[in-house]
Amino acid sequence: MKREADFLQELSASGKAAHQRTKMLIMVALLFGAVFLSFFLGRFSITPPEVIALFKEKLFGIASGLTSSESKVFWGIRFPRVIAACAIGCGLSASGCVYQGAFRNPMVSPDILGATAGAGLGAAIGLMFNFTNSGVQITAFCFGLAAVGATYLFASVLGDKGNMTLSLVLTGIVMGALFQAGISLIKYVADPYSKLPAITFWLMGSLASVIPSYLPILLLPLLIGLVPLYLLRWRINLLSFSDEEASSMGVNTSRLRLIIVLCATLITSCVVAVGGIIGWVGLVIPHIARMIVGTDYKYLFPASMLLGATYLLLVDDIARAASSLEIPIGILTAVIGAPFFLVLLHRTRKQGQGV
Amino acid sequence: MGIELKALRCGYHGRPLTDGIDAVFSAGQVSCILGPNGVGKTTLFRTVQGNLPPVDGQVLIDGKPPADYDKRMMADKIAYVPQVRSQPFAYSAFNMVLMGRVSHLKLFSSPGQIDREIAYETMEQMGIAHLAAKNFTQLSGGEQQMVLIARALAQQPKFLMMDEPTSNLDYGNQMQVLRQILMLSHEKGIGIIMITHSPEHAFLSSDQVVLFFRNGKISIGNTEQTLTSDSLRQAYGIPVEICQVQNAAGISVTACVPFIN
């Protein structure tokens, strides 16, 4: 009787794991499909065989027979942009997903602690003082971290040590508002003919200016943030209990939350620094991932990463290929994300799962 | 060995809520903590678990104060069963129980086959294996309470500290939870400390009672001697009568009847 139950249990547990693995494989396949599709989409047309030839040339030194300008457009513009879109989508979605767990609230998005507003102010300052492109990025990155640092500092001074969740969210709102005011000030004093449009476009989010030299600035902090989160992903589940409950189970909740917030902030800051303010991805994609693989972060976290990368890549394809004029990607993600989120809300309410 | 309170006074900001408490909670024993709202029962729980420093006196868990334990070592000694609360995310009952294994896992690892087996066996023992695949948020209050107990047991602690495990449950579920509590203490040798608002539950299950009074006084002893109509009247400020009730099979239980004036 007991052996039989064990057997059934093993079967169902591994059966479920296999089921989840299949879903992951499908998501990986979708991402690769989207990447491949994105390589030859755009005003400068490259055919699939040409893409393959270009990769052969790069990897194995087999001559592609394509002109150097084609090769330059591909390696200098399209390839870095595709990679950046994947990285940014992945980062926004991953950080949104873990912020939601760390703050026990599925309505939280990556800008909850003021990272986005901070990075926005940094970029605005950089653009106003004519910094180089990478200079703007680094300023944005530092201001994003500084905003979250300030939020954390004030929250720990003002709030209850044992349960910082609420004080973090509230000070995050305050810091966000403060840095937004800073952005408005910069826009107000910026030269309306040259600087103001640049700042405005940056704030709307765009991947149009991504060049190969951006990639290390984007990918390195992204990896540094993602790896610990990936390793800790199962443990993030425990934070959905109250701090006293989780710590009675043997979890050092304040340390775990600090690591998670640090990593997610690092990710958000580097992503915003390169792509500008791209909203809704970090809120909507983890919800979709939750509908597909469930609430267990062991699967939810990688699923969010994969879906986020695929989603932002496809949205960026629309941004650059849908019309002759590039559409700011932040506008697109809001136009797609907001109504989609309403549909999600309606569905989850109907299923009675809570959101 | 066990949990020992030595002239313990707990409270916040250096202000004690109660007189000194001297008590020993040992393995295989059920202890009930009773008293009106706001006298410091939950504060006592927090202090024993090391979440709040004592104002005066000390707590000794297997001879050492809670401050000497890190979170994981503490989790090996004491598991906490909270009151049922709403959860923001809909985990399956099985995953909820599986999370009880966290104190046995390394920082970067997730539960393996052995952990899953322990979680499932615990659910079987509690008679809730059939709920394994269901969403925790969609279970009834009684089922949720049983899942939380199973989660605490999957932690494999020496003691269970339960905060009103029978509140919000219907009559049937209350008795089912009490049956589990008796089974755990008598057969598994787990020490149980629970806060309850039903004196009857103490009579049904408890070896020892800690009764809090409004004026900060504490009375500790075996159930029959500690819970009398006199002491309950003093504690709650209402007249209470205690009587014996027998069912058809001749089994007698103690009932407490409060009077409204």
Side-chain angles (χ1 to χ4, degrees), chain A residues 37-43 78 81-82 313 315-327 332:
Chain A
L37 176 80
S38 308
F39 279 146
F40 50 84
L41 265 180
R43 264 167 290 155
R78 193 158 298 168
R81 183 161 184 172
V82 166
L313 182 58
V315 174
D316 188 52
D317 287 344
I318 299 174
R320 64 190 167 90
S323 73
S324 57
L325 185 75
E326 164 117 15
I327 309 166
L332 276 178

Side-chain angles (χ1 to χ4, degrees), chain B residues 76-92:
Chain B
D76 287 341
K77 303 284 181 199
I78 300 175
Y80 171 60
V81 182
Q83 290 184 43
V84 171
R85 257 180 297 237
S86 70
Q87 292 287 337
F89 301 109
Y91 293 107
S92 71

Side-chain angles (χ1 to χ4, degrees), chain B residues 110-157:
Chain B
S110 52
Q113 187 62 36
I114 295 165
D115 300 301
R116 278 197 289 276
E117 269 167 25
I118 291 171
Y120 191 79
E121 273 168 25
T122 314
M123 293 187 84
E124 257 186 341
Q125 285 165 15
M126 303 278 301
I128 50 168
H130 60 287
L131 303 176
K134 294 222 171 88
N135 261 344
F136 181 77
T137 46
Q138 287 169 341
L139 300 179
S140 74
E143 290 169 335
Q144 289 186 336
Q145 188 69 63
M146 295 299 258
V147 171
L148 291 182
I149 296 173
R151 187 185 72 186
L153 290 174
Q155 195 174 320
Q156 297 177 326

Side-chain angles (χ1 to χ4, degrees), chain B residues 6 15 41 57 60 65 141 153 163 220 223 233:
Chain B
K6 286 187 169 170
R15 253 173 282 149
K41 300 187 297 292
L60 294 175
L153 290 174
D163 194 353
I220 299 169
T223 313
R233 195 194 62 235

Side-chain angles (χ1 to χ4, degrees), chain B residues 6-82:
Chain B
K6 286 187 169 170
L8 176 73
R9 305 181 79 186
C10 26
Y12 296 89
H13 312 296
R15 253 173 282 149
L17 291 165
T18 60
D19 289 354
I21 309 174
D22 282 287
V24 176
F25 304 107
S26 27
Q29 193 188 37
V30 180
S31 308
C32 280
I33 297 177
L34 285 105
N37 295 127
V39 291
K41 300 187 297 292
T42 307
T43 315
L44 173 67
F45 258 40
R46 295 190 64 197
T47 312
V48 170
Q49 288 181 78
N51 291 324
L52 194 69
V55 175
D56 199 16
Q58 54 181 171
V59 178
L60 294 175
I61 297 163
D62 284 349
K64 285 192 287 181
D68 284 11
Y69 292 91
D70 68 11
K71 297 254 160 75
R72 275 175 70 165
M73 286 154 62
M74 193 63 153
D76 287 341
K77 303 284 181 199
I78 300 175
Y80 171 60
V81 182

